[in-house]
Amino acid sequence: MQHSRTAALEVAERLAEGSQYIAGSLRPGSSGRRHSVVDPATGEAVHPYDLASADDVDAAVAAAREALPGWAGATPGERSDALHRFAAALGEAADDLALAESLQCGKPLKLSTGFDVPGTVDNTAFFAGAARHLQGQAAGEYSGDHTSYVRREPVGVVGSIAPWNYPLQMAAWKVLPAIAAGNTIVLKPAELTPLTSLMFARAATAAGIPDGVVNVVTGTGREAGEHLVAHPGVAMTSFTGSTAVGKRVAEVATATVKRLHLELGGKAPFVVFDDADLEAAAHGAVAGALINTGQDCTAATRAYVQRPLYDAFVAAVAELFGTVVVGDPFDPATDIGPLISHTQRDRVAGFVERARSYATVVTGGHAPGGDLAKGAYYRPTLITGAAQDSEVVQGEIFGPVLVVLPFDSDDEGLALANDTPYGLAASAWTRDVFRAGRATREIAAGCVWVNDHIPIISEMPHGGYKASGYGKDMSAYSFEEYTQVKHVMYDNTAVARKDWHRTIFGSQVTP
């Protein structure tokens, strides 16, 4: 355990040159303000660095603009080859990436090694192949006198802002479709968690991706983030984070009429019908609610259980919650680690404490003491008896908290599932194919799982409905965000005096 943390600190030390990655090299930020990555398991600063200023953002955008013509002009095969090398470089760095991710986020090492890192390598390999399949509609004579076809072209320089809950995966989701389509990018990771984003960018350079194609600036949202979104040299903004901040990003981006991709908050329903496999649903709820200590926009947060199974479901989940090991991220026995910070831990605790006045905390609902007291830990928490319009049901808690509510008819269950502003993900649990089909049609969410909750794959899109934003990450559908569609039309007649010209000028009577 201590050996793993020591190894993680050594990985972080390799980034001591600075936490800005511009034109292929590390450099310190120029804001004059220091910040530290804090290990949330111990509360100790583990990586002090200089924050980015607006000048650093300008330098990164300039590097991306300089690299754009060459990278956009590369053939799909050339970009594909570079991305294949990139995937191999990430695979070689897998152990270091997992250590750094667990150090800065507090997520268990078994999650970093089993989910975050292999998912990122796979996503890179996927886009290496997808880069060869950027194509438009086949040519055709749709007017009769012309041949039309569609080109897909890069948008330009992309300015992306990624969150702290999955720093490595979110860096990949932002960078990979953008550069596979021929764009260049400036990524701003959360200032809490820059380590693996910087390692990701260095791996891109090591793989032979040209300097300036992938740049990273690490600064605050108010300074570096807003300057990046407002920058006139940036053609597109992609943002993942809370709905409240997403609204601000949209406001800033509007001033320069940027293309905008937003992946925002979620409050995923977990709908259990009365014919569901109870054991499977209970295990799925625990895994779906507690992944990444609940700091996941798609986490199962609202379980709606049809009344015949309600009591048994609550009892089963409460029993399983009691078996979950909360502990040091580097201990192989740990199931969930700390929240990202003491501030976030206190925010989660606030939701639970306020809920005690109108609901029942069945299990959990407190921070552990003893050896874990210094970290930002919080026990898995199960709540019942809350009203549908209560804060704990409607608000995005972003912690290890599951609220369970009963329903009677299928109509009621699906209506409750849709009764929040969000629509990122959901799941339905049933043995009935018709019930499953209805749920997948009627639940307004970008992803609906049936008899599972959380799995994602590179080949399928991720993105939301309603206040959860718009646009897609992953899959070939993400190219819709990162390419411009151009219609090209050729005249096939070689006729100088066309009939349609006469609708504009001259006589329609042939002389």
Side-chain angles (χ1 to χ4, degrees):
M1 181 167 57
Q2 187 58 42
H3 172 74
S4 294
R5 178 169 273 104
T6 300
L9 290 168
E10 291 173 353
V11 172
E13 180 61 29
R14 295 174 207 159
L15 299 169
E17 296 171 55
S19 290
Q20 320 305 322
Y21 194 77
I22 300 172
S25 63
L26 286 170
R27 64 175 76 174
S30 63
S31 70
R33 291 187 303 282
R34 296 283 279 176
H35 185 76
S36 289
V37 174
V38 174
D39 177 356
T42 64
E44 297 175 358
V46 295
H47 180 74
Y49 68 92
D50 296 307
L51 288 163
S53 68
D55 289 342
D56 297 315
V57 174
D58 290 342
V61 172
R65 287 175 65 85
E66 183 176 351
L68 181 62
W71 184 246
T75 67
E78 289 168 338
R79 290 199 293 267
S80 175
D81 289 346
L83 285 164
H84 277 298
R85 295 193 301 269
F86 190 10
L90 291 169
E92 291 170 3
D95 290 345
D96 286 350
L97 287 164
L99 288 166
E101 195 78 334
S102 289
L103 179 68
Q104 66 183 354
C105 298
K107 63 180 66 187
L109 190 59
K110 70 177 182 179
L111 182 65
S112 296
T113 57
F115 182 74
D116 297 69
V117 174
T120 300
V121 175
D122 181 75
N123 210 227
T124 309
F126 170 81
F127 279 105
R132 289 182 177 265
H133 297 283
L134 271 171
Q135 55 197 19
Q137 191 170 358
E141 288 68 49
Y142 300 100
S143 78
D145 291 337
H146 306 81
T147 295
S148 289
Y149 70 90
V150 170
R151 290 175 55 86
R152 284 191 177 273
E153 297 179 348
V155 175
V157 175
V158 178
S160 289
I161 299 175
W164 47 256
N165 57 334
Y166 290 101
L168 178 61
Q169 285 198 317
M170 295 296 103
W173 288 13
K174 299 300 183 193
V175 170
L176 294 172
I179 67 172
N183 303 280
T184 56
I185 191 165
V186 178
L187 173 73
K188 193 202 88 65
E191 62 269 30
L192 297 175
T193 54
L195 300 179
T196 48
S197 296
L198 294 164
M199 295 167 70
F200 186 78
R202 293 183 85 178
T205 299
I209 292 175
D211 294 349
V213 172
V214 179
N215 307 276
V216 178
V217 291
T218 305
T220 65
R222 186 172 297 277
E223 183 172 4
E226 291 216 4
H227 191 66
L228 179 61
V229 174
H231 203 291
V234 171
M236 173 185 168
T237 293
S238 178
F239 170 80
T240 296
S242 71
T243 297
V245 178
K247 291 177 180 178
R248 174 60 184 163
V249 168
E251 290 174 1
V252 175
T254 298
T256 47
V257 198
K258 285 180 171 61
R259 179 176 294 198
L260 194 56
H261 167 217
L262 298 174
E263 198 266 88
L264 306 177
K267 189 71 177 175
F270 187 100
V271 183
V272 183
F273 294 97
D274 58 13
D275 66 330
D277 181 324
L278 179 63
E279 182 182 16
H283 280 263
V286 174
L290 300 185
I291 184 171
N292 203 32
T293 318
Q295 298 167 123
D296 187 309
C297 296
T298 62
T301 58
R302 300 177 290 138
Y304 296 102
V305 185
Q306 207 151 22
R307 207 169 291 275
L309 291 185
Y310 177 79
D311 290 338
F313 178 87
V314 170
V317 172
E319 181 179 358
L320 289 172
F321 267 22
T323 69
V324 172
V325 178
V326 180
D328 189 289
F330 295 101
D331 187 335
T334 291
D335 292 322
I336 67 170
L339 292 151
I340 188 64
S341 66
H342 287 83
T343 299
Q344 179 64 14
R345 193 270 310 275
D346 293 346
R347 180 180 179 275
V348 170
F351 272 95
V352 176
E353 291 308 307
R354 291 188 295 274
R356 294 183 191 276
S357 66
Y358 57 79
T360 300
V361 177
V362 177
T363 187
H366 62 89
D371 294 340
L372 303 182
K374 291 183 180 179
Y377 293 94
Y378 199 76
R379 293 285 182 192
T381 300
L382 182 65
I383 295 175
T384 61
Q388 174 66 16
D389 62 356
S390 63
E391 178 192 47
V392 78
V393 174
Q394 294 291 325
E396 188 176 26
I397 300 172
F398 229 56
V401 179
L402 176 65
V403 185
V404 187
L405 298 89
F407 70 92
D408 292 304
S409 68
D410 289 14
D411 290 348
E412 181 189 11
L414 295 174
L416 290 169
N418 284 329
D419 185 28
T420 71
Y422 301 105
L424 186 57
S427 63
W429 297 75
T430 177
R431 292 183 173 95
D432 187 321
V433 66
F434 298 104
R435 267 179 162 168
R438 182 185 177 191
T440 60
R441 290 190 304 272
E442 295 187 13
I443 294 177
C447 175
V448 181
W449 293 283
V450 177
N451 295 327
D452 210 343
H453 194 107
I454 285 297
I456 54 175
I457 49 176
S458 296
E459 292 82 359
M460 289 290 112
H462 175 85
Y465 286 20
K466 303 191 293 186
S468 292
Y470 46 82
K472 300 299 179 185
D473 289 310
M474 298 200 299
S475 83
Y477 288 98
S478 65
F479 286 138
E480 301 296 332
E481 318 306 322
Y482 295 100
T483 58
Q484 301 188 96
V485 174
K486 178 185 287 183
H487 171 214
V488 178
M489 195 174 200
Y490 285 90
D491 170 63
N492 292 330
T493 66
V495 173
R497 294 172 55 86
K498 295 178 172 61
D499 288 345
W500 80 266
H501 292 173
R502 305 287 73 80
T503 65
I504 311 300
F505 74 99
S507 172
Q508 290 185 317
V509 178
T510 302

